[in-house]
């Protein structure tokens, strides 16, 4: 009270004299403070400015579901000033009594700014903005780093993402036809709509030609709607290329008198779906040739093309199913070769060339759908799309193998010449009867394919086949091919030990060939393989998008980390678990590319045998 009265009288005098009043004394300088003033004492501060900083310990927990959390823990800090120690105020003791553990004022003054945001990156990303190096890692970081590779791609998937492929294992089941009385038309139509991908072929007159799912009686009305929509846009001189309905993408390709329609819910781009429709068109041309197809519709536009194509539905369906399952060969537009030593492949080519007949145009040896050897004229080469048609006919549809050891097939190779036929002699080595054949050995079957422009050359090609087989058996090359086919694709641990990459695709752009590791065990199931191919489709469409200039694409998702890298020499796509950082996946990619460069002459056929 004495202090307040003195201040009041001083203020009155100063107002009379025109001078400002004096400031009141600080509470700490006033003698005789009571308990109320003691609560307002300022704590002892450091006596001089300092730039001292101290780091916080970041603890990280890894949970069983793959998620992680980070939190900070306080550490004991010594006084850098020597003997002086900050005193604890009454308020601090009070908060301690309440169960709190406040940070001391010395720590608060010298605390550095830390990033406490949860991150999915490995050690090295959580650092102070002021501290340049945090070389000492906590035990939690060490444990997390050892567990980062254990989380495989697609182990943690959102419910909405997994629901799309829930019934994918039944995607290829046939829809019951009208003869089965237990199924009503509504049930059959509902089952047809549940399919994730459809391919339709119809004529410009609206005649149905082919549908992958359902008989033509079931979907005849749907094809009529599609034909009406396409014709409307053509009448407006604005051809329909595609449209979206909900999560479903419709893509239309017009080839002369034929309409090709792809309906997909698998997230593929328009260019990828068009490439698949083009392959179906090539399959039709391989049966009819372009002049025949043109003449049919020139004379009668309403012709039913199902009769000329009768017997080839299995070829179209096997090709369509390979697109639905996910085909790396179709995605990259390249072929996969059997891995062999350069000397062995060179010896096989020489045996092929020594036994060549004058009527031969192309000669191929194929094992389990992978190209072993090829001989060709100097100025001609086989296009990958033509080889894909041949492989689909031999190894996917099953019709050729069921016919026995030898087959003579007239065939049009559209990329070589879509106006005429070539004649293909096919012989499977050591073919067992269909009832005794082991399905697991299908990937090891060896076929010799001889192609000639002369339709009277069957016996000449048959004799060449006998000579080639005798030469290869004499030198032990047949056993070498069988052993390489049985070994299959190399495993990731053999390619790049220690790399945290689960799978990759490597394409040699000059050779138009690709290689990849084994799908076992992570991607061996139908659904996991489809998820992997969907990821590759997304990477491929993004990095090859029109007007894009991206050469390296790094994607981080909740369930995977992926990388796409294209150069004039190669294309590279890889996938790793969600915990892989950019540094880790880049180091793994470099190891794989170095391996592919070292093994180039084993992985790819460079040139082949030329005559």
């Amino acid at each position: 009270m004495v202090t307040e009265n003195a201040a009041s009288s001083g203020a009155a005098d100063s107002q009379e004299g025109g001078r400002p009043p004096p400031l009141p004394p600080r509470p700490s300088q006033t003698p005789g403070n009571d308990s109320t003033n003691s609560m307002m004492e300022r704590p002892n501060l450091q006596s001089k400015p300092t730039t001292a900083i101290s780091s916080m310990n970041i603890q990280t927990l890894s949970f069983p579901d793959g998620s992680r959390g980070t939190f900070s823990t306080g550490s004991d800090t010594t006084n850098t000033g020597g003997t002086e120690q900050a005193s604890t105020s009454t308020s601090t003791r009070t908060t301690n009594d309440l169960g709190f553990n406040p940070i001391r004022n010395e720590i608060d003054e010298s605390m550095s700014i830390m990033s406490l945001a949860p991150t999915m990156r490995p050690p090295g990303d959580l650092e102070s903005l002021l501290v340049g190096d945090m070389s000492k890692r906590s035990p939690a970081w060490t444990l997390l780093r050892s567990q980062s590779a254990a989380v495989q791609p697609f182990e943690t998937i959102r419910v909405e993402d997994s629901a799309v492929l829930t019934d994918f294992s039944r995607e290829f089941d046939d829809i019951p036809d009208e003869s089965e009385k237990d199924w009503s038309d509504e049930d059959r139509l509902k089952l047809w709509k549940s399919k994730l991908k459809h391919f339709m072929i119809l004529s410009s007159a609206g005649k149905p030609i082919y549908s992958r799912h359902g008989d033509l009686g079931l979907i005849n009305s749907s094809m009529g709607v599609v034909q009406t929509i396409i014709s409307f846009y053509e009448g407006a001189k604005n051809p329909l290329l595609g449209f979206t309905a909900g999560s479903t993408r419709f893509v239309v390709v017009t080839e002369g008198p034929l309409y090709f329609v792809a309906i997909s819910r698998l997230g593929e781009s328009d260019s990828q779906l068009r490439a698949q429709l083009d392959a179906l068109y090539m399959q039709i041309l391989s049966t009819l040739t372009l002049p025949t197809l043109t003449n049919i519709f020139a004379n009668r536009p309403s012709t039913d093309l199902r009769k000329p194509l009768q017997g080839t539905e299995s070829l179209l369906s096997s090709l369509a199913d390979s697109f639905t399952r996910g085909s790396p060969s179709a995605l990259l537009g390249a072929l996969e070769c059997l891995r062999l030593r350069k000397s062995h492949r060179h010896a096989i080519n020489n045996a092929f060339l020594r036994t060549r007949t004058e009527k031969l145009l192309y000669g191929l040896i194929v094992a389990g759908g992978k190209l072993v050897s090829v001989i060709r004229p100097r100025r001609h080469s086989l296009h990958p799309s033509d080889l894909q048609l041949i492989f689909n006919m031999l190894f996917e549809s099953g019709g050729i193998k069921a016919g026995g050891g030898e087959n003579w097939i007239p065939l049009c190779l559209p990329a070589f010449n879509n106006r005429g036929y070539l004649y293909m002699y096919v012989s499977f080595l050591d073919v067992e009867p269909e009832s005794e054949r082991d399905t697991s050995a299908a990937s090891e079957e060896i076929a010799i394919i001889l192609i000639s422009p002369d339709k009277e050359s069957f016996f000449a090609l048959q004799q060449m086949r006998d000579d080639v087989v005798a030469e290869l058996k004499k030198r032990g090359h047949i056993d070498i091919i069988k052993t390489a086919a049985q070994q299959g694709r190399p495993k990731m641990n053999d390619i790049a030990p220690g790399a945290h990459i689960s799978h990759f695709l490597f394409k040699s752009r000059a050779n138009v060939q690709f290689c990849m590791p084994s799908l076992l065990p992570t991607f061996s199931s139908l659904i996991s393989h489809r998820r992997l191919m969907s990821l590759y489709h997304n990477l491929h469409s993004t990095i090859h998008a029109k007007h894009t200039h991206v050469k390296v694409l790094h994607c981080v998702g909740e369930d995977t980390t992926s990388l796409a890298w294209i150069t004039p020499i190669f294309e590279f796509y890889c996938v790793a678990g969600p915990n892989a950082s950019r540094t880790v996946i880049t180091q793994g990619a470099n190891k794989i590319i170095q391996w592919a460069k070292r093994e180039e002459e084993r992985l790819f056929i460079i040139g082949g045998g030329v005559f």
Side-chain angles (χ1 to χ4, degrees), residues 499-568:
H500 295 171
I501 292 180
S502 301
H503 196 269
F504 71 87
L505 295 177
F506 180 91
K507 175 185 176 181
S508 173
R509 304 184 79 169
N511 299 307
V512 202
Q513 299 165 32
F514 79 97
C515 66
M516 68 178 186
S518 173
L519 294 169
L520 299 173
T522 309
F523 308 106
S524 57
S525 67
L526 184 64
I527 296 179
S528 61
H529 180 263
R530 179 61 247 185
R531 287 197 178 103
L532 175 66
M533 290 308 304
S534 295
L535 178 61
Y536 283 145
H537 277 83
N538 291 334
L539 291 175
H540 186 273
S541 62
T542 302
I543 207 164
H544 287 282
K546 195 174 183 179
H547 306 305
T548 187
H549 301 286
V550 178
K551 301 301 179 184
V552 180
L553 176 65
H554 177 245
C555 299
V556 178
E558 295 182 0
D559 49 4
T560 58
T561 303
S562 54
L563 178 72
W565 183 6
I566 62 172
T567 71

Side-chain angles (χ1 to χ4, degrees), residues 58-122:
I58 302 297
Q59 300 292 331
T60 305
L61 292 181
S62 179
F63 300 102
D65 61 353
S67 60
R68 292 174 296 172
T70 59
F71 62 92
S72 60
T73 58
S75 58
D76 295 332
T77 305
T78 57
N79 194 335
T80 58
T83 58
E84 293 183 3
Q85 182 73 24
S87 61
T88 305
S89 63
T90 306
S91 61
T92 304
R93 290 194 298 268
T94 305
T95 55
N96 285 336
D97 295 338
L98 295 175
F100 295 98
N101 185 21
I103 301 176
R104 294 176 181 267
N105 288 285
E106 293 88 342
I107 299 178
D108 191 30
E109 287 284 339
S110 60
M111 184 63 67
S112 64
I113 303 174
M114 301 293 296
S115 173
L116 301 181
T119 181
M120 299 182 70
R121 296 180 179 176

Side-chain angles (χ1 to χ4, degrees), residues 352 355-357 360 460-468:
F352 231 163
T355 58
R356 179 180 67 88
T357 179
L360 180 73
L461 297 182
Q462 186 184 47
Q463 182 61 43
M464 178 182 171
R465 176 262 183 198
D466 295 339
D467 295 341
V468 169

Side-chain angles (χ1 to χ4, degrees), residues 45-59:
L45 302 178
Q46 291 182 349
S47 59
K48 59 182 178 179
T50 178
T51 58
I53 55 177
S54 63
S55 61
M56 295 177 64
N57 292 330
I58 302 297
Q59 300 292 331

Side-chain angles (χ1 to χ4, degrees), residues 40 54 61 64 94 131 180 200 211 215 286 310 323 329 332 353 380 386 391 409 420 442 477 480 524 542 551 554 559:
M40 299 175 60
S54 63
L61 292 181
T94 305
V131 180
E180 298 190 25
M200 296 180 182
S211 174
D215 54 27
S286 70
Q310 189 173 6
F323 299 148
S329 179
L332 300 176
L353 291 172
H380 295 281
D386 288 339
F391 291 174
I409 307 166
H477 293 140
I480 292 175
S524 57
T542 302
K551 301 301 179 184
H554 177 245
D559 49 4

